[in-house]
Every structure is written in structure tokens, then in C-alpha cells.
Amino acid sequence: MITSATAAHSTAAPVTNVVLGPDTGDQFGAVMVQAGLVATEFSYKKDAEIYGEEEPAEYVYQVVRGAVRSYKLLSDGRRQIGAFHLPGDVFGLESGPVHRLTAEAIIDTTVRLVKRRALEQAAATDVHIVRGLLNMTTGSLKHAEDHMLLLGRKTAMERVATFLLEMDRRLAVAGMMALPMCRRDIGDYLGLTLETVSRALSQLHEQEVLGFSGARQIVLRNRQRLRNMDA
Amino acid sequence: MITSATAAHSTAAPVTNVVLGPDTGDQFGAVMVQAGLVATEFSYKKDAEIYGEEEPAEYVYQVVRGAVRSYKLLSDGRRQIGAFHLPGDVFGLESGPVHRLTAEAIIDTTVRLVKRRALEQAAATDVHIVRGLLNMTTGSLKHAEDHMLLLGRKTAMERVATFLLEMDRRLAVAGMMALPMCRRDIGDYLGLTLETVSRALSQLHEQEVLGFSGARQIVLRNRQRLRNMDA
DNA sequence: CGACGGATTGATCGTGCTCAAATCATGTGG
DNA sequence: CCACATGATTTGAGCACGATCAATCCGTCG
């Protein structure tokens, strides 16, 4: 069921061209409008690779619907997910020639993409565009700095608490969140095993800090308690 | 013996103004020259704070001599060092208004610094400068991404091997490296305790992968072996 | 309804942490 | 120049947290 990134960008793919309007209030949208660029929409099936580590960086992406994981692998298969990309997030933005992580759709996902070359050209003459790219990169760096603290120094329970608060902030609708990713993905994001993640969630459930309606539908019942736990 | 950052920038401090010449082959130098900025040199004593987390980001720094650690703290004192800054490295570059980590001199250290406001103004009109800032930020992001993999997924021995190769690359002179930082700093960088770092180094010494001449003077005797260990 | 992947729970193990003591290096004052 | 003080490093013993291995349980989709 894996659609390769190569196939993904073939002309045969079901693609929609959209001119980005000023209604897009996000940074990416703003930057694209400045650049006068045209974005293409494309969809990936669950678990499809969007691009691979060390592949030439030809496009920059923004999640429209769905969710994406960006990760690095060690030679024996150990995986570290550096970030989850949710609707509105920009990913795949590189300064060098290649992607430094692999990106995969977690669930069926639609992205907007713009040619990196076009962006480069626009950036060459427009300060605002480069400025926008700098701000987006800085945002990623800030997240990475926070995540290093989590990975290097937080306990399992603290990591899970931090994760829940992050996801609550980023994708809660009406006080409830629908996690797109499985326990293994969460573990690989937090530097834990899926079993440890599951145990931490069960414990929080027992303590009535959260409620489940299905393993991936979570409602936080005591955010303050969670904030206290995240160290 | 701590010199505060505030005192550091007082007019009474022993400061040298230098106009950056085109001889500075580094990126920072190049950017500064573009901007027509004047850098000030300043020195910090061992363990002096250069700036604190959440402090307004007034300056951008480059290490001239010495070494700097950038870190985050948890409320109970657990510390994660995100990066070591060695001669030539730029640090303290922010997009937002405040510093996101604390920076301290590891040993007596001299830095060049430029006013952030001046840099901002130059960046507002010159694409090359923003471009340079973007490249430096991207470099930090790449390091953070690699370090997340280390912190989340590597074993203690793999972390120490990675660290030795990084320091060898960055500060080896004549096949030998003089580490400026103590075992605790290394541990807080690698997400380990100082004892675990010490044990790993002792084991590598036994296996003749490295030699000591003083705890912080290390010579790598088998880089390939180290590369194999780093996963 | 059945099958399959995902999640939970349990039992045991091991890596790296904690606590503690000894040793080493460094610099200071007599 | 040496003796000592001090902090850094090493080494040891025991422990704990999270990993591993394994067996259900559950929910979702054909």
C-alpha cells in the first residue's frame, strides 16, 4: 500500500492546482503569496513515504488534512521521530540539497506543495520570503530544543504528560483529541517503547486525568495535574 | 567568580571594538561584513553566564577563544545541554524576542558580539544577510535533529562514541583533542550521568580505542572502531 | 462474523542510575 | 619546591526504571 514519493509526483497522479489566496492566514500561505507561487495539492495513503532521508529536496510541503511523521533511522531499525506534522504545519523545508529526515503519511493525508526551486528564486530577491523561511526554521529549532530536553532528561511519565499537552494544544477540538498515530509512533517520538507509553496512559486513566473513547480518542480531564507532571 | 551578563556589557568592561574585515572566512564574519556592522570583543570567566533563558535577546555572539554550553533546566535542576559552542561558532541567534536557552562560558572565553537590533535592521533590506541567518539556523536545526536521535535511541556507549567523533571533528589539533568540558557537562549533553560517561571512556581506554594524557586530553587511536560503535 | 492489527497487561531482565568511597589532577600558600 | 586542599574523575555495589518477551484483549474493517 506504499505509494512512493516518485510515483506521487508523476503527472498521472490526481492533482489539483490552487492559487494561494490572501485568505490563508498562516505563515506558509503568506510566504507563498509574497512569492506569487502556485501550490499543488496531493494526497498520500496511510503509511506512504512522502520523501526519504538523503533524497534531493525538490518540494516544500504543508499539511492540509491528515498527519505526517518525520524520522531518522539507525542501521538496526531503531527509529526516532523528530516531529509530527499536523494540518497547517510546513515540513520538508531544507537549506541544503537533501532531506535530513524521512517523511511518511500517518493516515490518509493531503498536502500542498511548492517547488523548492521556485521558492529559492523568489527568496533570492524578496527579503520577506527569506524572513518567513527563517521564522519557520526557527520554529522547528525551538521544538527540537524542547524535545531534546524531554528525550535527555524527562521520565517516562513526564514525557507522556508533555506529549498529551502538546497534542491537546495542537489538535484538540471541543475538548477532545483524536490521535492519528499509534502507540509505536508515540513511543518513537518520546524515546520510549510502545508498552511504556501504554502503561503511562493506563495509569493516567486510572487517576482520572484522562478519559478514553477508543484508544486514540482522548479527553483530558485535568490539564493542571498533567502540567504538574511534565516537570 | 561569576560575572553576570549585565555587568559584562557595562561600559566599564574591558572591551575592544573591531571592524570585521573580509579576512573572516566564516559565515558570521561574511554576514557581518555585508551588514557593515561593528563587532565588540568581550571575555567571560569560567562558569560566567553569558545570557539566561527567557532573557531579552540583545546580542548575537561568536566564540573567538574558549567554549560555551547552551542548556535548558527543569524545575528540579535536571539539565540538558543542547550544544557546545567552540571557536568560530555563532550562538544566541534568535527569531523571537528572548533567548530560549542559557549560555555559560565553560572555560575563560572570548566572544565577538553584535547588537541584535543592528542585525535586524541590516537584515530588513539585505537578502544575503537574512539568507546567512537562515543558513546558520538550519545548521543548528540539523545538529538538533541528529542529537534527538542520539538522546532518544542510542545506548550509552553509542552516545559517547558519537560525542568523541564530534569533538574530534570540531577541535582536534594534531590528532589530539583537549576537551574544555567536565564529565558532568558531557553527561548532560548526552542524557547520561557523569559516572556512565566515565565508565564508557574507561572501557574505550581498556580496548585501546583511545588514549589519555590527563582526563581531558584524549587521542583517538581507532576512529573506525568508534564509527562502528556509534550505530 | 471472523480475522487481523493495535493495544493492554503481566513477568522478568538488564542498562544505566544512585549512593559511596577511593584516587587523581591542579593549583595555592608556606 | 613541596605539602596540602580542593574539585574532578574513577571505580564499586546495589537498585530501579523502562525494556523485553509473551499472552490476552479489543476494535475495526472486510
Side-chain angles (χ1 to χ4, degrees):
Chain A
M1 288 302 153
I2 306 282
T3 306
S4 79
T6 307
H9 300 150
S10 74
T11 49
V15 157
T16 310
N17 287 321
V18 293
V19 176
L20 293 166
D23 57 305
T24 51
D26 63 302
Q27 192 144 58
F28 186 66
V31 167
M32 298 307 109
V33 169
Q34 281 284 348
L37 294 176
V38 173
T40 299
E41 286 210 352
F42 188 79
S43 295
Y44 296 89
K45 287 221 165 13
K46 177 171 148 66
D47 294 327
E49 180 175 302
I50 299 171
Y51 53 77
E53 192 173 340
E54 299 304 317
E55 263 181 35
E58 286 186 59
Y59 299 91
V60 177
Y61 306 78
Q62 183 182 38
V63 180
V64 175
R65 281 179 300 280
V68 173
R69 56 182 170 249
S70 285
Y71 64 85
K72 280 177 170 285
L73 286 180
L74 293 177
S75 51
D76 63 357
R78 279 172 290 171
R79 184 178 67 158
Q80 179 61 44
I81 294 179
F84 292 120
H85 308 294
L86 303 177
D89 294 347
V90 173
F91 66 99
L93 179 59
E94 305 290 346
S95 230
V98 300
H99 289 292
R100 292 183 310 260
L101 295 87
T102 299
E104 285 175 355
I106 296 175
I107 54 179
D108 290 359
T109 295
T110 300
V111 302
R112 285 195 291 203
L113 48 88
V114 299
K115 276 209 159 59
R116 185 243 174 96
R117 188 187 312 268
L119 198 52
E120 293 282 348
Q121 282 177 346
T125 55
D126 188 335
V127 175
H128 294 93
I129 292 174
V130 197
R131 189 72 223 193
L133 301 182
L134 177 56
N135 285 336
M136 286 189 275
T137 304
T138 300
S140 298
L141 180 57
K142 172 177 166 29
H143 181 269
E145 288 163 349
D146 291 341
H147 210 58
M148 285 191 286
L149 175 62
L150 179 148
L151 293 170
R153 289 305 180 209
K154 289 189 184 180
T155 67
M157 185 53 86
E158 288 166 350
R159 294 178 200 208
V160 171
T162 303
F163 170 77
L164 288 170
L165 290 168
E166 181 188 353
M167 289 302 137
D168 182 53
R169 176 172 55 78
R170 293 176 63 191
L171 53 69
V173 183
M176 154 145 307
M177 56 183 150
L179 296 178
M181 73 290 285
C182 65
R183 297 292 188 265
R184 177 175 298 277
D185 285 343
I186 300 172
D188 285 352
Y189 179 58
L190 300 179
L192 301 169
T193 60
L194 65 95
E195 292 95 332
T196 298
V197 171
S198 179
R199 276 183 248 269
L201 290 173
S202 295
Q203 197 179 322
L204 291 171
H205 188 210
E206 274 173 24
Q207 296 172 199
E208 295 178 11
V209 173
L210 57 82
F212 283 112
S213 40
R216 298 190 192 181
Q217 289 278 338
I218 297 179
V219 52
L220 300 188
R221 300 203 180 287
N222 195 336
R223 285 177 180 75
Q224 194 50 56
R225 193 84 167 285
L226 225 37
R227 275 181 220 111
N228 295 152
M229 299 183 108
D230 105 352
Chain B
M1 291 303 149
I2 305 281
T3 305
S4 80
T6 306
H9 300 149
S10 75
T11 49
V15 156
T16 309
N17 286 320
V18 292
V19 177
L20 293 166
D23 57 305
T24 51
D26 63 304
Q27 192 145 57
F28 186 67
V31 166
M32 298 308 108
V33 169
Q34 281 284 347
L37 294 175
V38 173
T40 299
E41 287 210 352
F42 189 78
S43 294
Y44 296 89
K45 287 218 162 20
K46 176 170 151 65
D47 294 326
E49 179 174 302
I50 299 171
Y51 53 77
E53 192 173 339
E54 300 305 318
E55 263 181 36
E58 287 187 59
Y59 298 90
V60 178
Y61 305 80
Q62 183 182 38
V63 180
V64 175
R65 280 180 300 280
V68 174
R69 57 183 170 249
S70 285
Y71 63 85
K72 280 176 169 287
L73 286 179
L74 293 176
S75 50
D76 64 356
R78 281 173 288 172
R79 183 178 68 158
Q80 179 61 45
I81 294 178
F84 292 119
H85 308 295
L86 304 178
D89 294 347
V90 174
F91 67 100
L93 179 60
E94 306 289 345
S95 230
V98 299
H99 289 293
R100 292 183 312 262
L101 295 87
T102 299
E104 286 175 356
I106 297 175
I107 53 178
D108 290 358
T109 295
T110 301
V111 302
R112 286 196 290 202
L113 48 88
V114 299
K115 276 211 159 59
R116 185 242 175 96
R117 189 188 310 267
L119 198 52
E120 293 283 347
Q121 281 178 346
T125 56
D126 189 335
V127 175
H128 294 93
I129 292 173
V130 196
R131 189 73 221 192
L133 301 181
L134 177 56
N135 285 336
M136 287 188 274
T137 304
T138 301
S140 299
L141 180 57
K142 173 177 166 28
H143 181 270
E145 288 163 348
D146 291 341
H147 210 58
M148 285 192 284
L149 175 63
L150 177 148
L151 293 170
R153 289 304 181 209
K154 289 189 183 179
T155 66
M157 185 53 85
E158 289 166 351
R159 293 178 202 207
V160 171
T162 303
F163 170 77
L164 288 170
L165 290 169
E166 181 188 352
M167 288 303 136
D168 181 52
R169 176 172 55 77
R170 293 176 64 192
L171 54 69
V173 182
M176 154 143 309
M177 54 183 153
L179 296 178
M181 73 289 286
C182 66
R183 297 291 188 265
R184 177 175 298 277
D185 285 343
I186 300 173
D188 285 352
Y189 179 58
L190 300 179
L192 301 170
T193 59
L194 66 95
E195 293 94 332
T196 298
V197 171
S198 178
R199 278 183 247 270
L201 290 173
S202 295
Q203 198 180 320
L204 291 171
H205 188 212
E206 274 174 26
Q207 296 171 196
E208 295 178 15
V209 173
L210 58 81
F212 283 112
S213 41
R216 298 188 191 181
Q217 289 279 338
I218 296 180
V219 51
L220 299 189
R221 300 205 180 285
N222 195 337
R223 286 176 178 76
Q224 193 50 54
R225 191 91 163 283
L226 225 37
R227 276 182 217 110
N228 295 152
M229 300 184 110
D230 106 353

